[in-house]
């Protein structure tokens, strides 16, 4: 797999004339508009990247964007790969491996999720403080010792100093933030009421179908991670989950998330 990762990174380096991104960003469902406002230098569709799977979900454009945000070099994934699409965990996390080879020093992740903390409201931004993984672990299999340890530590999985930076910026910008634990399940079904209650009982605040695999792989490689969930529905209310609604709510809250990400990126060391 390491050879594949290096081959894909070399292809991208050739295509982008060695544009060396400092920061990787993964944009979740409904949050892709942010990518359109990046000062883009290069954009490559996933289908044209050797080794990449092709995104199948509506609302995900499926391209990698190389450009600048507040003068900092970033690579953004407009759309991600989900386990529920039928990809292996290695495929789902392959782009993060490639971004590391390209030189990223930070990973920013975002997603749409269902609130299970009853104080959350639709449209809230939740800073991810920790996660519970209910998917297969992407590190199962031979360990790539060149990239990280066999038994990676998961303390400080979501970087505490980045969370503190977010809190400060949110105060300055008058952005309301929630904080909580993201529970990553396989999907593609939304949770039953009993499952939402179960997620709450085990310590979850929001439920989703992504993010956890990418974060595990980033932490395997010691990359500091910052994550935000946009709360697009409240699981313990009587409303049913709806993919279009998830996209709509994502778009609205995405504007606030963009302000947060931009200022954080600007201030990164
Ligand atoms: N559950 C799982 N994934 C989701 C949800 C949810 O309620 N809302 C948006 N993504």
């Amino acid at each position: 797999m390491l050879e594949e990762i290096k081959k894909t990174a070399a292809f991208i380096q050739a295509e982008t004339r060695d544009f060396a991104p400092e920061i990787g960003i993964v944009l979740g469902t409904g949050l892709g508009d942010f990518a359109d406002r990046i000062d883009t230098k290069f954009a490559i569709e996933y289908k044209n990247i050797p080794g990449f799977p092709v995104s199948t979900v509506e609302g995900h454009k499926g391209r990698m964007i190389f450009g600048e945000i507040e003068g900092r070099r970033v690579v953004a994934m407009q759309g991600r790969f989900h386990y529920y699409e039928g990809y292996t965990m290695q495929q789902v996390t392959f782009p993060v491996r490639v971004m590391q080879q390209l030189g990223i020093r930070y990973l920013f992740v975002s997603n749409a999720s269902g609130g299970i903390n009853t104080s959350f409201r639709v449209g809230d931004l939740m800073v991810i403080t920790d996660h519970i993984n209910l998917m297969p672990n992407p590190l199962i299999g031979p360990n790539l010792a060149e990239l990280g340890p066999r038994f990676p530590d998961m303390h400080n999985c979501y970087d505490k100093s980045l969370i503190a930076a977010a809190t400060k910026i949110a105060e300055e910008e008058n952005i309301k933030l929630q904080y909580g634990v993201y529970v990553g399940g396989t999907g593609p079904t939304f949770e039953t009421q009993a499952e939402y209650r179960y997620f709450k009982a085990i310590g979850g605040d929001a439920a989703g179908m992504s993010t956890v695999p990418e974060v595990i792989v980033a932490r395997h490689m010691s990359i500091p991670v910052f994550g935000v969930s946009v709360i697009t529905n409240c699981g313990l209310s009587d409303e049913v989950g709806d993919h279009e609604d998830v996209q709509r709510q994502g778009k609205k809250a995405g504007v606030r998330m963009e302000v947060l990400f931009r200022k954080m990126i600007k201030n990164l060391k």
Side-chain angles (χ1 to χ4, degrees):
M1 184 165 72
L2 192 54
E3 221 168 274
E4 274 282 294
I5 295 163
K6 289 188 170 168
K7 235 166 59 188
T8 301
F11 168 86
I12 290 172
Q13 278 160 342
E15 287 286 308
T16 61
R17 292 191 227 119
D18 287 327
F19 182 91
E22 305 168 82
I23 302 139
I25 305 173
V26 182
L27 296 168
T29 307
L31 299 166
D33 286 0
F34 185 8
D36 297 329
R37 288 185 286 272
I38 293 172
D39 181 6
T40 303
K41 310 284 187 216
F42 304 93
I44 317 177
E45 292 192 24
Y46 295 156
K47 66 173 190 291
N48 297 325
I49 303 178
F52 262 47
V54 175
S55 187
T56 65
V57 179
E58 280 175 60
H60 293 267
K61 266 191 186 157
R63 54 187 193 146
M64 242 180 175
I65 291 169
F66 299 81
E68 288 183 3
I69 293 176
E70 308 291 327
R72 304 295 295 263
R73 289 189 311 280
V74 305
V75 51
M77 289 186 65
Q78 197 171 22
R80 58 151 59 86
F81 303 104
H82 300 88
Y83 187 61
Y84 63 72
E85 293 176 90
Y87 304 119
T88 64
M89 278 302 196
Q90 279 67 35
Q91 287 177 305
V92 168
T93 54
F94 187 77
V96 177
R97 296 290 195 195
V98 171
M99 288 196 279
Q100 185 263 352
Q101 289 287 315
L102 296 175
I104 64 159
R105 293 188 296 113
Y106 297 95
L107 182 69
F108 281 51
V109 292
S110 61
N111 59 57
S113 71
I116 39 190
N117 182 318
T118 48
S119 72
F120 291 1
R121 297 290 167 264
V122 168
D124 278 355
L125 296 182
M126 183 191 87
V127 171
I128 306 175
T129 56
D130 209 342
H131 73 224
I132 294 172
N133 182 24
L134 298 181
M135 298 189 232
N137 194 300
L139 301 181
I140 290 171
N143 183 48
L144 297 170
E146 194 180 314
L147 300 179
R150 171 74 288 187
F151 301 107
D153 181 62
M154 286 284 138
H155 283 84
N156 202 31
C157 191
Y158 297 86
D159 191 85
K160 287 197 173 64
S161 60
L162 293 176
I163 293 172
T167 300
K168 190 162 167 283
I169 289 164
E171 276 167 15
E172 288 163 8
E173 296 291 323
N174 209 10
I175 294 170
K176 175 181 156 198
L177 290 182
Q178 305 282 12
Y179 298 83
V181 174
Y182 178 90
V183 185
T186 66
T189 46
F190 288 100
E191 288 69 22
T192 63
Q193 289 291 286
E195 285 165 344
Y196 283 124
R197 285 196 300 273
Y198 162 64
F199 282 12
K200 188 176 180 208
I202 61 174
D205 296 291
M209 309 173 191
S210 68
T211 305
V212 168
E214 292 117 312
V215 171
I216 289 174
V217 164
R219 293 306 300 145
H220 178 239
M221 302 184 291
S222 299
I223 297 170
V225 172
F226 178 71
V228 166
S229 285
V230 171
I231 305 299
T232 57
N233 55 292
C234 292
L236 292 165
S237 82
D238 289 334
E239 290 161 41
V240 294
D242 174 291
H243 187 65
E244 274 169 33
D245 206 41
V246 166
Q247 288 185 353
R248 221 173 9 248
Q249 293 300 338
K251 267 193 202 305
K252 270 169 56 184
V255 178
R256 274 172 287 133
M257 192 196 78
E258 180 173 339
V259 172
L260 185 68
F261 274 23
R262 274 185 185 279
K263 281 205 119 184
M264 287 181 73
I265 287 168
K266 187 177 174 182
N267 295 342
L268 284 175
K269 289 209 191 65

